[in-house]
Structure formats: C-alpha cells, structure tokens
C-alpha cells in the first residue's frame, strides 16, 4: 500500500506540471498569496495571439529602454541570451501583446521597492492561463529581467514549464514561479547587494505554446513564505487518488 501511495503521488506531480531542472525560474505549488486572484490587480505582462494565421504559439515582452523609459512589444525583447544567467536557450520575439500597449492594467515594470521585496526568495511570479476548459499549455520561456534607472540590463534569469492542466477563467492564479536556490544566490549577489536595490526595475518576457485561448498573464508579487500547499487541481487529483487507494484496499480485503 505504501508503494501504491508513493507511485500515485509521483504521478500527481507529473500530471500537474513538469519543468527544466536547470532553469532558474521554477514552478512552486506553494501559493504564498493564499487564495490570490488577479481581479483588478494590474498585470505585468499580458500575451494573446490574435488575427489570421494563428499557430498556438504566442510571445510578449516588456522592458525598460535607454534613459529609463517603459517599452512593450518586440523592441522590449532581449536580442539574445548573453545577459541571461544560465539561459535555457529560448529567445523571445514578442509581437503578441494585446492593446493598449501602455503601462497600466496589462503591463508594468515594478521596482523592487514598490513591492517591498527584500531578497530573491521573496520574488513570486503568478501565472494566469486562460485556456478553454482549463486545458494544457507550455511556457517555453519566462524571463525575469532587472534594469537600473537608466535602462541598463543588470541581470536576467529564465525558466520553462509544461502544464497538463490549468484553471479556467481570466483572473485566476494558476501557478507560481519562484527562483531556485542556486540562482537566488546570483540574484542576491548581483541585485540585492546594491545599496539602491529598491530602485531596480523588474520586467518580464515570455513565449508560450499550445495556447488556444487567452489572454495569458503574469504578475510579480512578494511571497509570504508560507508552507507549500497543493494547488486546487492537484488537490482534486489527490482526492481522486485517495479514493482509488481506498477502493483498491477494499478489493484486496
């Protein structure tokens, strides 16, 4: 029975998501925001493929330009991965950012200080997929960039994840990306060691595949450091598994 339980729980984890072990941004099932829903919260990146010739791949970028100005669209994407620490090999192209292309509800580049974040471990990126029926989607790349006040890129880290299930509805917190322990050290040494780290801007860019709905949104928040809790979809699968284990036990008896 212990073996059956272990196999099932491993299967639940695999069904919920899988991610690259080498990526700096990884998926956490710990929802530090406790029931977080987007609601009227401004997003920091919104992506949706529209128009003819859709191929279920969408990409979007936000950044800080020369002189410290806000930039959204292809011009905000990194040209290559030379500024990314331990890159995953994906270069985002942008172009699927729905209007209005202004800083506000759909886009933003918050400063670290504005979110009261004090170290890399507190950075949480909430992902909201809006897929029909809570269908699957793959984050081919999610890149978090750090800019100084003049628009110079100081550091970037990235990650990727494949989700077998999402949660239907716009404004629902599906999953949370956090920075893994190895890259937390790099971010802390490069960014949070600065005397003015609170003035550093954060910006996102991403590419997703298997996107058949939308919009997909990301927002950066401060994590609260609460204990890991399974996401609702995982809890549902867990309940189904527990019922199956009970049924198997009764049959054995």
């Amino acid at each position: 029975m212990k073996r059956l339980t272990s196999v099932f729980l491993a299967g639940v984890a695999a069904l919920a998501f899988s991610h690259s072990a080498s990526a700096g941004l990884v998926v956490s099932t710990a929802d530090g925001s406790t029931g977080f829903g987007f609601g009227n919260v401004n997003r920091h990146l919104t992506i949706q493929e529209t128009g003819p010739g859709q191929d279920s791949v969408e990409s979007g970028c936000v950044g800080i330009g020369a002189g410290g100005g806000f930039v959204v669209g292809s011009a905000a994407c990194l040209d290559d991965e030379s500024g990314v620490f331990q890159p995953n090999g994906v270069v985002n192209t942008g172009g699927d950012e729905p209007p209005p292309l202004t800083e506000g509800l759909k886009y933003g580049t918050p400063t670290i200080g504005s979110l009261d974040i004090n170290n890399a471990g507190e950075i949480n990126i909430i992902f909201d997929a809006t897929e029909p029926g809570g269908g699957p989607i793959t984050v081919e790349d999610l890149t978090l960039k750090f800019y100084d006040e003049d628009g110079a890129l100081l550091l970037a880290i990235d990650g990727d994840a494949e989700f077998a299930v999402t949660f239907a509805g716009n404004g629902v917190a599906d999953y949370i990306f956090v920075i893994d322990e190895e890259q937390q050290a790099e971010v802390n040494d490069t960014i949070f060691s600065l005397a003015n780290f609170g003035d550093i801007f954060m910006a996102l860019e991403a590419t997703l595949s298997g996107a058949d709905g939308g919009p997909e949104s990301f927002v950066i928040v401060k994590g609260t450091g609460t204990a890991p809790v399974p996401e609702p979809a995982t809890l549902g699968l867990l309940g189904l598994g527990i019922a199956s284990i009970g049924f198997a036990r009764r049959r054995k008896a």
Side-chain angles (χ1 to χ4, degrees):
M1 182 54 62
K2 287 183 178 179
R3 185 168 182 269
L4 176 60
T5 303
S6 298
V7 170
F8 169 72
L9 292 177
V12 167
L15 283 170
F17 63 85
S18 61
H19 58 80
S20 169
S22 62
L25 290 171
V26 296
V27 178
S28 170
T29 54
D31 186 350
S33 51
T34 311
F36 183 90
F38 278 29
N40 293 322
V41 174
N42 289 3
R43 280 72 163 166
H44 294 136
L45 175 63
T46 304
I47 310 173
Q48 183 173 18
E49 186 182 29
T50 58
Q54 296 182 32
D55 59 1
S56 298
V57 176
E58 54 190 23
S59 182
C61 304
V62 174
I64 300 294
F70 172 79
V71 182
V72 60
S74 299
C77 302
L78 297 179
D79 294 331
D80 53 46
E81 295 215 282
S82 60
V84 182
F85 181 68
Q86 297 181 349
N88 63 6
V90 179
V91 176
N92 303 302
T93 58
D96 295 313
E97 303 86 356
L101 301 181
T102 57
E103 191 167 19
L105 178 62
K106 296 183 178 181
Y107 308 99
T109 53
T111 62
I112 292 174
S114 70
L115 300 182
D116 193 30
I117 291 174
N118 298 293
N119 60 72
E122 293 181 346
I123 297 175
N124 283 193
I125 303 174
I126 310 294
F127 173 49
D128 171 24
T130 311
E131 294 300 296
I137 195 168
T138 298
V139 178
E140 301 288 349
D141 178 80
L142 173 62
T143 299
L144 171 63
K145 303 174 289 186
F146 298 90
Y147 293 92
D148 69 13
E149 294 174 298
D150 297 319
L153 179 69
L154 302 178
L155 179 68
I157 59 174
D158 63 12
D160 51 78
E162 182 178 351
F163 300 103
V165 294
T166 54
F167 304 110
N170 187 13
V172 179
D174 289 57
Y175 295 98
I176 300 176
F177 285 85
V178 297
I179 304 174
D180 71 11
E181 290 186 2
E182 179 182 359
Q183 296 205 19
Q184 280 185 34
E186 178 67 18
V187 175
N188 284 331
D189 288 346
T190 305
I191 303 300
F192 287 92
S193 63
L194 300 173
N196 67 330
F197 73 79
D199 297 327
I200 302 302
F201 291 97
M202 294 183 288
L204 299 171
E205 57 182 69
T207 296
L208 304 98
S209 63
D212 299 315
E216 273 67 57
S217 301
F218 298 87
V219 62
I220 306 169
V221 300
K222 178 180 180 177
T224 60
T226 56
V229 177
E231 290 285 348
T234 306
L235 286 171
L237 290 170
L238 181 61
L240 177 62
I242 291 171
S244 300
I245 291 169
F247 177 71
R249 179 179 293 173
R250 286 196 299 272
R251 287 190 63 186
K252 186 175 180 180

